[in-house]
Amino acid sequence: MTSTTTDATTAKIPKQPLHPSVISKLDPEYVEFHNSTLQYITPPHTLPWDPALRNAPAVPGGTEPLKVGSVKDFEMTHTNFRAFTPEGEVPEKGWPVFIFFHGGGWTFGNIGSEQGFSTNMCVRAKCVTISVNYRLAPEHKYPLAVEDAVESLQWVIKDGKKELNIDTSKIAVGGSSSGGNLAAILALKAAEPTFTPPLPSPLLLQLLIVPVTDNTATDDPGGRWESNKLSPWLSPARMNWFKSNYLPNKEDWTKWDASPLFAPKELMAKTPNAWIGLAEMDILCDEGMEYGKKLKEVGVKEVETVVYKGGPHPIMAMDAAVKLGAKLVTDAAVALAKVFGTS
């Protein structure tokens, strides 16, 4: 799950070298970048917890944000979000809107995270993109991030037209990793008949990138993580550390607002069409594929699951260093523009 780096890059002592068994299966550009840069970063789960770990630079290798028409921050009850508005003339009914949740294991990330991705969606899908600064664990555990996700959608429905000239009939949600988890859960919450205020029309898309969908997964024999347990960056130990920060109580792991794979079929069937981007060499690949399969089985009309061959977990955020990451970003923008009718 996308997280942060430390100053240990200067030491030039490998802290997370590639396991020999996976090198030939990984994207060659990623291997080169990992060997030159990533292997020298100390994994945060091996350090004593300190909120200052969040001050370190984000995952290296990302593109600079694209130029947009305007950037503005808005307050929510407990946190805030950043809105990116495209350049150019506002469509007659207002801008489509994409509500995005960054990655970071529910532990890392902030309002400035993954701005390369957010601005790419804004510019290339011609939509307002809202990046939600949801509260982080371990200080704010489950389900507080879910509450912030729900409030962001409620804000769009109530205030989006007035504040950002949003067309509230064209709303999509999405996220990467832990943010993909929150986006999938928000799509489920929005499909509940009790959701207030009522949506003017159903969500158009859930755009899920390397999402966490099953918090019961393990690397035990036969477990979802077993086949990729030696893959780089997001190891089982790191993922379990993130989970212990956000979901310390085992009884919560099977609740669908923690693990959307456990959502009732009848609720899942009411969720929007999906575009799911997965990394072949990611421990989360299996549960992402399973989620796409379940969405199809329950009758969601259009579910596109794309697996990026040789990609490990963090490729989306390394789109400058790894062309496979840039392809994922482009494909996501195309999928978003398609549902908004802006392509």
Side-chain angles (χ1 to χ4, degrees):
M1 197 166 295
T2 308
S3 69
T4 60
T5 66
T6 75
D7 295 333
T9 49
T10 55
K12 289 295 177 188
I13 299 166
K15 300 295 191 342
Q16 44 183 331
L18 291 172
H19 193 276
S21 68
V22 300
I23 294 172
S24 65
K25 301 173 190 173
L26 286 165
D27 175 78
E29 272 191 326
Y30 175 83
V31 171
E32 187 179 337
F33 186 57
H34 188 100
N35 287 338
S36 67
T37 306
L38 303 178
Q39 69 169 332
Y40 301 111
I41 297 167
T42 302
H45 68 280
T46 64
L47 299 168
W49 170 248
D50 184 340
L53 288 169
R54 297 188 181 119
N55 300 333
V59 174
T63 54
E64 289 297 311
L66 300 182
K67 185 174 182 287
V68 298
S70 70
V71 181
K72 189 175 180 183
D73 296 349
F74 291 86
E75 293 301 314
M76 292 165 52
T77 304
H78 300 288
T79 185
N80 57 358
F81 65 82
R82 180 161 292 167
F84 303 89
T85 299
E87 295 180 302
E89 193 176 340
V90 182
E92 188 182 346
K93 292 183 180 177
W95 296 108
V97 63
F98 174 54
I99 304 174
F100 175 70
F101 304 93
H102 64 76
W106 307 282
T107 301
F108 293 111
N110 55 48
I111 199 166
S113 296
E114 297 171 9
Q115 289 193 109
F117 185 82
S118 294
T119 54
N120 264 276
M121 298 307 107
C122 172
V123 171
R124 296 163 77 176
K126 299 182 183 69
C127 64
V128 168
T129 297
I130 283 174
S131 181
V132 181
N133 192 24
Y134 57 89
R135 285 171 287 175
L136 300 175
E139 299 92 335
H140 305 287
K141 302 183 191 307
Y142 161 88
L144 297 184
V146 175
E147 292 175 10
D148 293 340
V150 168
E151 188 182 349
S152 69
L153 177 56
Q154 291 170 330
W155 187 96
V156 165
I157 296 166
K158 289 188 287 189
D159 299 320
K161 181 66 179 174
K162 178 181 66 178
E163 296 286 351
L164 289 165
N165 208 344
I166 283 169
D167 177 358
T168 54
S169 71
K170 290 186 174 181
I171 304 173
V173 298
S176 68
S177 199
S178 57
N181 169 268
L182 295 173
I185 292 161
L186 181 57
L188 289 159
K189 292 263 184 187
E192 290 187 296
T194 54
F195 190 86
T196 55
L199 275 76
S201 57
L203 298 178
L204 293 181
L205 186 72
Q206 48 186 323
L207 192 149
L208 312 178
I209 297 171
V210 294
V212 181
T213 68
D214 181 3
N215 273 301
T216 70
T218 71
D219 63 342
D220 295 338
R224 292 195 186 281
W225 298 347
E226 184 192 15
S227 61
N228 279 328
K229 67 181 180 182
L230 299 175
S231 289
W233 197 263
L234 184 61
S235 62
R238 188 185 294 213
M239 186 63 212
N240 282 327
W241 180 74
F242 285 139
K243 188 166 73 172
S244 70
N245 288 341
Y246 178 63
L247 286 160
N249 300 318
K250 191 174 181 180
E251 60 269 23
D252 293 330
W253 296 354
T254 54
K255 293 175 181 174
W256 65 257
D257 63 350
S259 298
L261 201 51
F262 290 89
K265 288 181 180 178
E266 55 275 16
L267 180 60
M268 204 181 272
K270 295 174 185 171
T271 63
N273 291 340
W275 187 89
I276 304 173
L278 305 174
E280 182 193 29
M281 299 295 291
D282 178 11
I283 59 169
L284 303 182
C285 188
D286 181 86
E287 63 198 72
M289 290 181 73
E290 184 66 22
Y291 198 63
K293 184 180 164 194
K294 268 193 106 167
L295 289 173
K296 280 184 181 173
E297 284 173 355
V298 298
V300 173
K301 196 172 177 184
E302 290 181 33
V303 181
E304 184 179 4
T305 304
V306 184
V307 179
Y308 292 85
K309 186 172 172 56
H313 182 76
I315 53 168
M316 184 205 91
M318 298 177 177
D319 56 328
V322 182
K323 290 190 191 75
L324 195 63
K327 178 165 177 20
L328 187 158
V329 172
T330 294
D331 291 349
V334 168
L336 201 54
K338 181 181 170 187
V339 298
F340 287 155
T342 54
S343 52

